[in-house]
Amino acid sequence: AGSAPEVVLDGVNGFVAPSFRVDDLVSAIKLLSEDASLARKFGDAARVRAEQTFSLKKQLADHLAAYQLAIDLRKSKRR
């Protein structure tokens, strides 16, 4: 697929069209252009996912946890 799976959840906050399947992409775009309610639903879900998954606070917490794990592993190998 042409999108990162951690960003687009097919049918939840967008559609994932398989690579080189232009007809599938056209169908998805057409559906969203004709269904404002679905487009709004996907947009709202995408915003929530972005805020929860990719916020600065979340990214910093994830990086801190990774560094802490590396420190803990190094300390355990010294014993």
Side-chain angles (χ1 to χ4, degrees):
S3 68
E6 66 272 5
V7 176
V8 178
L9 302 176
D10 193 34
V12 175
N13 63 359
F15 292 120
V16 176
S19 297
F20 306 107
R21 298 279 301 267
V22 176
D23 290 342
D24 290 347
L25 182 58
V26 169
S27 294
I29 292 170
K30 185 176 179 186
L31 177 60
L32 290 173
S33 72
E34 294 172 350
D35 189 340
S37 176
L38 181 60
R40 171 64 66 187
K41 177 183 165 191
F42 280 0
D44 291 345
R47 176 181 291 279
V48 169
R49 180 157 177 78
E51 289 170 348
Q52 292 175 346
T53 307
F54 305 108
S55 70
L56 179 59
K57 184 176 180 178
K58 173 81 166 88
Q59 294 300 310
L60 291 173
D62 289 351
H63 279 79
L64 181 60
Y67 284 123
Q68 189 61 55
L69 178 61
I71 291 167
D72 293 346
L73 288 172
R74 184 172 174 116
K75 284 180 181 178
S76 71
K77 288 182 180 180
R78 289 184 183 171
R79 294 179 189 158

